[in-house]
């Protein structure tokens, strides 16, 4: 690993924490684990910030989270309103539509900038090096070499937190919000979702190769 990395946890519309953290990570390649939308109040501004970052630092890695999948599926009609709302989608809707009338889905689809859709659609499913794999929900311990979208983005692999787990690479993920606000680190598994935008927790970055954390 020639250039130091910063792997950044779930943002969920907290653009203030995002901006503050990015400012302190100059010189590192950034890898985001996904979940930029829903729950937090500033989803639109968050995507604007990430798109600006992508233009300024094109080597930045933006991974797909299940909340981006839900947002895109809601816009196309593949996900019902009640399901999207249950995932914190009301905050996303309000970020684009201060007022909605009858057809919320159609009005939202018209209000979302094309650049935001392009950004989400271009997000990768995982990032991997010879000794590291990063994805939104980690790897399936029963199939640790599987790399499909379901295993990397959409599933919940609770077995990652079993005490006897043995993996051949460091696995870094988000998705599993740590109610303590402290990142999980054990058995070559690190979870950097510390509740940002979900319950007021900080936004966390794992610094590699130092294996230290930075929170804002």
């Amino acid at each position: 690993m020639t250039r130091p990395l910063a792997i950044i946890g779930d943002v969920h519309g907290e653009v203030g924490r995002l901006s503050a953290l990015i400012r302190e990570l100059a010189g590192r390649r950034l890898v985001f684990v996904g979940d930029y939308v829903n729950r937090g109040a500033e989803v639109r501004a968050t995507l604007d910030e990430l798109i600006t970052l992508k233009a300024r630092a094109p080597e930045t890695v933006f991974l797909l989270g299940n909340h981006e999948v839900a947002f895109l599926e809601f816009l196309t009609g593949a996900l019902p309103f009640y399901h999207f709302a249950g995932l914190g989608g009301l905050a996303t809707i309000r970020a684009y539509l201060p007022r909605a009338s009858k057809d919320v889905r159609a009005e939202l689809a018209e209000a979302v900038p094309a650049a935001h859709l392009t950004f989400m659609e271009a997000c990768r499913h995982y990032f991997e090096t010879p000794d590291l794999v990063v994805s939104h929900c980690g790897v399936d311990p029963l199939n640790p070499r599987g790399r499909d979208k379901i295993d990397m983005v959409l599933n919940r692999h609770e077995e990652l937190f079993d005490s006897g787990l043995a993996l051949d690479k460091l696995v870094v993920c988000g998705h599993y919000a740590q109610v303590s606000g402290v990142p999980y680190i054990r058995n070559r598994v690190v979870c950097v979702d510390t509740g940002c935008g979900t319950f007021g927790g900080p936004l966390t970055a794992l610094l590699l190769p130092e294996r230290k954390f930075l929170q804002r």
Side-chain angles (χ1 to χ4, degrees):
M1 189 181 298
T2 59
R3 184 177 177 189
L5 294 178
I7 304 172
I8 300 171
D10 305 40
V11 179
H12 283 302
E14 288 279 356
V15 72
R17 293 183 186 274
L18 173 64
S19 299
L21 192 62
I22 288 173
R23 284 195 295 270
E24 298 190 49
L25 296 173
R28 293 179 181 268
R29 187 180 188 189
L30 307 185
V31 180
F32 289 83
V33 303
D35 277 6
Y36 317 110
V37 305
N38 293 350
R39 296 181 175 156
E42 297 176 289
V43 167
R44 181 169 189 155
T46 294
L47 291 181
D48 283 338
E49 178 85 0
L50 295 174
I51 290 167
T52 298
L53 173 63
K54 185 175 184 179
R56 186 173 72 243
E59 75 282 3
T60 302
V61 176
F62 299 96
L63 301 182
L64 187 67
N66 64 299
H67 283 265
E68 285 75 60
V69 173
F71 188 12
L72 293 169
E73 289 184 347
F74 175 67
L75 290 172
T76 63
L79 190 73
F81 175 82
Y82 71 87
H83 194 161
F84 186 56
L87 289 169
L90 292 179
T92 296
I93 293 170
R94 284 193 292 266
Y96 292 96
L97 288 177
R99 294 182 181 178
S101 54
K102 294 181 180 180
D103 192 338
V104 173
R105 190 193 314 273
E107 292 176 47
L108 181 62
E110 187 173 339
V112 176
H116 289 198
L117 299 177
T118 300
F119 171 82
M120 289 185 285
E121 290 165 351
C123 288
R124 295 161 55 173
H125 295 170
Y126 63 95
F127 171 78
E128 190 164 10
T129 71
D131 55 1
L132 169 72
V133 58
V134 186
S135 78
H136 184 62
C137 61
V139 300
D140 181 356
L142 302 178
N143 181 27
R145 299 189 186 278
R147 296 293 183 267
D148 62 30
K149 180 179 177 180
I150 291 177
D151 283 340
M152 297 281 98
V153 180
L154 298 175
N155 270 350
R156 289 189 67 84
H157 305 303
E158 301 294 349
E159 300 86 356
L160 285 171
F161 304 98
D162 289 349
S163 59
L165 181 67
L167 295 168
D168 61 1
K169 290 188 175 189
L170 177 65
V171 174
V172 183
C173 62
H175 196 49
Y176 313 94
Q178 303 297 301
V179 296
S180 64
V182 176
Y184 176 93
I185 179 166
R186 186 177 184 182
N187 294 334
R188 307 200 80 184
V189 174
V190 179
C191 179
V192 289
D193 181 358
T194 48
C196 180
T198 300
F199 47 75
L203 180 60
T204 294
L206 168 64
L207 309 182
L208 294 176
E210 303 94 327
R211 296 205 182 195
K212 295 181 178 180
F213 297 100
L214 180 64
Q215 293 187 314
R216 288 298 176 262

